[in-house]
Amino acid sequence: MKLSNKVCAFFLCAALCLSSIPLTARAAELEDASKGLDFSQGFPQEKTVYTAGGGTITYTPPSSVGQPHKLILNNATISTEESSKAPAICFSAEQVYMDISVEIEVKGENTITVNNPDSDKNYGRNHAIFLSASDKECLLKISGGGTLNLNAVAGIGAQWCNVEISGVTVNTFSPNRFSYGIYTVFTESVEIKEASLNLNSSQGVSVNKGKLSIQNSSLIINSNAEALSGAPVHIESSTIDAYVRGNDVMGGITSRNKSLEIINSKVSLNGPQCRYGVFTHAGVHVDNSELYLNCPYTSTDKTPYVIFNEEPLVIENQSIVTLIYYPGKNALKNVNTQADEGCQLKIEVVKADYSELDKIVKSIPEDLSIYTAVSVEALNNVLGSLDYEKDITKQNEVDEMAKAIEEAVAALEYKGADYGKVDEAIEKAAALNKDEYKDFSKVEEAIGGVVRDKNITEQWEVDEMAKAIEDAIKGLEKKESEKPTAPVKLIAPVKNSPNTVSSPQTGDDTDLGIWMALIALSALVMASAIIENQKQRTYSAKRKRG
């Protein structure tokens, strides 16, 4: 057989072999996980890649017993159906506990939305990510450099297992009144390390019967109830900015039966209706940190404290603790504070509300040069008398200051407009003799249209008045003048001197030279005619004789 035939036979066999392979093995389609992933009934036996919106989710089974199940979320988008009975990413069913650990790596921008119209009734189904384990040695770990956007009643939920969140950005959004950013039950430890969390929910991070540790992280919390709760709560090298908007909240930061430690951190909590800014049956330890608690609770039927502490407040290493409370209430339950030299404990009555006053101040015109000196001076006098140190008991005085500014602003009076050009135009018109012009009425109408009460903001109208007068003057036409007749020349009489005898004037005194010249010319013409006539006679006589 020739070589070319052998080659053709080889490729033909190869083609037959490939055609015998099942299509699914050659080009398997990825399973769609855009409506959620439910592993409660079991896990795949091998590595599996799912599509999820415009991204992917990759599952990798444990490499050996005791190793974690792994998921990689890479720009994935999940949106569950309203009829779904499981969390968006579920590792165990309700009341079913599994002896597993799970690691989720987050890459890119990932969004999980749980759509459940009965969120209050079916609370367990409303987690974005949920693990129910059977051993406290189990771990739910979420890490990576990506972002998780969780639109669910509970963003991250766990039972009977520890939780670790590190290096990731987590944003939770839930309008539900029973919602959580991170919620755990029967957990020994929840650690948040080098992470950025923005939690918008009923409660921020709730650790029931376990330690909450926050290290090298940034948390922004907007909640109805507790922003942070754990037993104990440890905050180190972190920044926390919390706003608790709910009424009659037990505590903004709660550490039941355990202590609250804040080390090398800055913690700010605003809770206008928090019964307690910090609630703990133990103590509060602030080390090289700033703690700001603004909790002006106003209820009269309960005894509120900014810090409800059974043990003393300990302040060390240049720390600053600021407690804002409502007059007549209490700042500390245990007033035996231990503060190092150089530390500051500021206990202040809540300040009055200056928001309306500030709004009016911002409404003051930037350019005051267009107003009269008297009205500007009156406004400046009011501004100079403002006192920004009033507390809430003197709110009426702050309101009076706001009213005074408002009245001074309303009384600002504009300077008058400049009528200089108008006056110049009127003077120019007055210098004209209107009898010399055909029609002077338009000038008079323009002058009559001048209004003298315009202010500086209406200067353009005044300038138009001046222009109208100038234009009317330019449009004037003079009357046509009559041609003058030649004057009659009179001969002045000659005055005689006393010694001169004047001869009587007889006849015309017209210049005689002209008449003499005419007489001479006439004589010349007559002589010429006589001579010419004589020549003609002589010539005629000769012809007759000849």
Side-chain angles (χ1 to χ4, degrees):
M1 182 182 287
K2 293 183 179 180
L3 180 60
S4 59
N5 292 337
K6 292 180 179 180
V7 173
C8 291
F10 173 78
F11 280 110
L12 181 59
C13 291
L16 290 173
C17 291
L18 288 174
S19 63
S20 65
I21 299 175
L23 181 62
T24 55
R26 286 186 280 119
E29 292 185 2
L30 300 180
E31 185 177 345
D32 183 13
S34 60
K35 295 181 180 179
L37 273 177
D38 184 3
F39 295 117
S40 61
Q41 303 302 317
F43 293 90
Q45 298 300 309
E46 58 185 13
K47 183 176 181 179
T48 305
V49 180
Y50 305 88
T51 61
T56 60
I57 301 175
T58 303
Y59 168 78
T60 302
S63 58
S64 60
V65 177
Q67 294 299 308
H69 297 260
K70 295 183 178 181
L71 278 184
I72 298 177
L73 304 182
N74 189 354
N75 294 304
T77 299
I78 296 176
S79 182
T80 67
E81 295 181 328
E82 292 186 0
S83 59
S84 174
K85 296 182 179 181
I89 298 180
C90 181
F91 297 100
S92 52
E94 292 183 62
Q95 307 302 321
V96 176
Y97 306 102
M98 305 179 69
D99 185 11
I100 61 171
S101 291
V102 175
E103 291 185 5
I104 300 176
E105 183 179 357
V106 180
K107 296 182 178 180
E109 189 87 9
N110 300 269
T111 300
I112 300 176
T113 302
V114 177
N115 299 300
N116 191 334
D118 299 322
S119 56
D120 289 350
K121 299 178 182 178
N122 300 315
Y123 175 76
R125 304 175 184 175
N126 296 302
H127 292 78
I129 299 173
F130 179 74
L131 171 61
S132 181
S134 60
D135 192 324
K136 291 185 179 181
E137 296 299 322
C138 296
L139 175 67
L140 171 60
K141 180 178 180 180
I142 301 175
S143 62
T147 299
L148 266 180
N149 300 311
L150 307 178
N151 304 295
V153 173
I156 299 170
Q159 294 184 115
W160 294 101
C161 66
N162 296 323
V163 176
E164 179 182 324
I165 299 174
S166 61
V168 69
T169 297
V170 178
N171 303 311
T172 66
F173 309 92
S174 176
N176 192 282
R177 60 193 180 96
F178 299 116
S179 60
Y180 297 86
I182 299 172
Y183 176 73
T184 66
V185 181
F186 306 116
T187 298
E188 286 190 349
S189 173
V190 172
E191 292 186 70
I192 300 172
K193 302 186 296 185
E194 298 179 349
S196 176
L197 275 62
N198 189 336
L199 310 178
N200 296 273
S201 53
S202 179
Q203 296 188 39
V205 181
S206 179
V207 181
N208 189 337
K209 299 181 180 180
K211 178 181 180 180
L212 171 60
S213 177
I214 302 171
Q215 301 179 45
N216 300 298
S217 296
S218 173
L219 277 71
I220 299 175
I221 303 172
N222 191 328
S223 64
N224 284 324
E226 287 85 352
L228 300 173
S229 64
V233 176
H234 177 87
I235 302 170
E236 184 173 355
S237 302
S238 297
T239 300
I240 297 175
D241 188 356
Y243 179 76
V244 180
R245 60 184 179 272
N247 293 324
D248 200 21
V249 178
M250 188 66 174
I253 300 176
T254 302
S255 181
R256 292 180 175 86
N257 303 317
K258 298 289 184 179
S259 63
L260 167 64
E261 293 182 312
I262 302 174
I263 302 171
N264 300 324
S265 298
K266 184 174 182 179
V267 177
S268 175
L269 185 143
N270 288 277
Q273 293 303 316
C274 280
R275 194 188 312 173
Y276 312 116
V278 170
F279 180 87
T280 172
H281 287 109
V284 178
H285 180 201
V286 183
D287 185 353
N288 192 34
S289 298
E290 292 183 29
L291 173 61
Y292 177 87
L293 301 174
N294 180 21
C295 303
Y297 186 74
T298 58
S299 176
T300 57
D301 59 347
K302 299 181 178 68
T303 303
Y305 299 91
V306 179
I307 296 181
F308 184 101
N309 55 324
E310 297 288 357
E311 298 179 9
L313 168 65
V314 178
I315 308 174
E316 298 179 331
N317 296 324
Q318 309 298 316
S319 293
I320 301 174
V321 176
T322 303
L323 309 179
I324 310 296
Y325 70 105
Y326 196 83
K329 305 303 179 181
N330 304 279
L332 294 161
K333 187 174 189 299
N334 189 325
V335 297
N336 297 318
T337 301
Q338 301 173 7
D340 285 354
E341 184 177 353
C343 294
Q344 299 181 51
L345 173 60
K346 303 177 182 179
I347 300 178
E348 304 173 357
V349 175
V350 63
K351 287 187 176 181
D353 182 4
Y354 282 82
S355 59
E356 186 63 26
L357 185 147
D358 292 337
K359 180 180 178 181
I360 296 172
V361 170
K362 289 180 180 178
S363 71
I364 296 174
E366 293 184 5
D367 184 11
L368 295 176
S369 64
I370 62 176
Y371 299 97
T372 63
V374 174
S375 63
V376 171
E377 182 180 5
L379 173 61
N380 287 332
N381 288 338
V382 175
L383 293 174
S385 66
L386 295 183
D387 183 358
Y388 279 89
E389 299 301 323
K390 303 285 186 182
D391 62 46
I392 193 67
T393 63
K394 299 178 180 178
Q395 182 64 48
N396 62 324
E397 296 181 19
V398 176
D399 296 340
E400 286 297 323
M401 288 190 289
K403 182 180 178 182
I405 298 173
E406 191 171 30
E407 291 176 349
V409 171
L412 286 172
E413 183 179 352
Y414 287 118
K415 291 179 179 178
D418 182 3
Y419 280 81
K421 292 182 180 180
V422 170
D423 294 335
E424 289 177 5
I426 291 175
E427 289 178 6
K428 186 185 295 186
L432 301 175
N433 183 356
K434 66 178 183 178
D435 295 334
E436 296 180 0
Y437 299 93
K438 293 180 178 180
D439 184 3
F440 205 78
S441 62
K442 290 186 178 179
V443 176
E444 293 173 335
E445 288 175 4
I447 294 174
V450 173
V451 180
R452 289 284 177 175
D453 61 352
K454 298 295 181 181
N455 62 52
I456 195 170
T457 65
E458 301 166 312
Q459 184 63 51
W460 65 274
E461 296 184 36
V462 177
D463 294 340
E464 286 296 319
M465 296 176 198
K467 184 176 183 298
I469 298 172
E470 293 285 356
D471 290 346
I473 293 173
K474 289 178 182 178
L476 289 174
E477 292 184 20
K478 284 194 173 185
K479 295 178 180 179
E480 294 182 2
S481 59
E482 297 179 0
K483 295 183 179 180
T485 57
V488 178
K489 186 176 180 180
L490 299 178
I491 300 175
V494 179
K495 292 182 179 181
N496 297 323
S497 65
N499 299 322
T500 303
V501 179
S502 60
S503 59
Q505 298 296 319
T506 59
D508 194 1
D509 63 350
T510 306
D511 192 351
L512 295 177
I514 296 174
W515 294 106
M516 294 299 293
L518 290 174
I519 293 171
L521 180 59
S522 299
L524 180 61
V525 171
M526 292 178 64
S528 297
I530 293 170
I531 294 172
E532 183 63 26
N533 186 41
Q534 187 63 37
K535 289 181 178 180
Q536 287 292 334
R537 288 180 178 181
T538 304
Y539 177 73
S540 298
K542 288 182 178 181
R543 290 185 64 184
K544 288 179 177 180
R545 286 193 298 264

